[in-house]
Amino acid sequence: MTISTTRNRIVAIGDGVETVFPYDFLVLDATHMEVYVNDAEVISGFTVNSVGTPAGGTVTFATAPLATLSVVLRRVIPLTQLTDYTPYGPFPADTHEAALDLLTM
């Protein structure tokens, strides 16, 4: 797939009622989404929806963030290289493109 945007961060404001916050970028694994409320990282109490969808998805909180608190959704890719090519082995295009996509993100 082609990465069509370098955007990796959404900032919103809680209202004490809304629990669903959209993001508009590709997230390949739910662990790649960091969530902050008022600059404090949140590690539980939410789900990342539509993982693997190029157009993005939503983060749904179990409890709505309080009014006026900032909500930041940020894609963070681990700094690891998981693709390993063997000498004289096949060079599959899909594998190579996926590795480039991760590098771009």
Side-chain angles (χ1 to χ4, degrees):
M1 116 185 36
T2 301
I3 301 299
S4 59
T5 180
T6 57
R7 182 180 175 112
N8 69 344
R9 184 173 181 258
I10 297 289
V11 178
I13 302 296
D15 64 4
V17 176
E18 188 60 53
T19 58
V20 179
F21 292 83
Y23 61 90
D24 61 356
F25 46 82
L26 177 63
V27 174
L28 294 175
D29 188 293
T31 63
H32 295 175
M33 180 68 81
E34 288 185 349
V35 177
Y36 295 86
V37 175
N38 234 30
D39 296 325
E41 186 172 10
V42 178
I43 58 172
S44 64
F46 66 89
T47 56
V48 181
N49 306 299
S50 301
V51 170
T53 303
T58 59
V59 169
T60 303
F61 288 87
T63 304
L66 297 176
T68 73
L69 297 185
S70 67
V71 176
V72 177
L73 311 177
R74 187 173 80 134
R75 179 186 63 213
V76 177
I77 305 294
L79 298 176
T80 54
Q81 203 287 77
L82 302 175
T83 304
D84 186 22
Y85 298 109
T86 57
Y88 311 107
F91 190 76
D94 289 343
T95 301
H96 187 67
E97 187 170 7
L100 290 173
D101 289 348
L102 279 173
L103 181 63
T104 301
M105 286 190 267

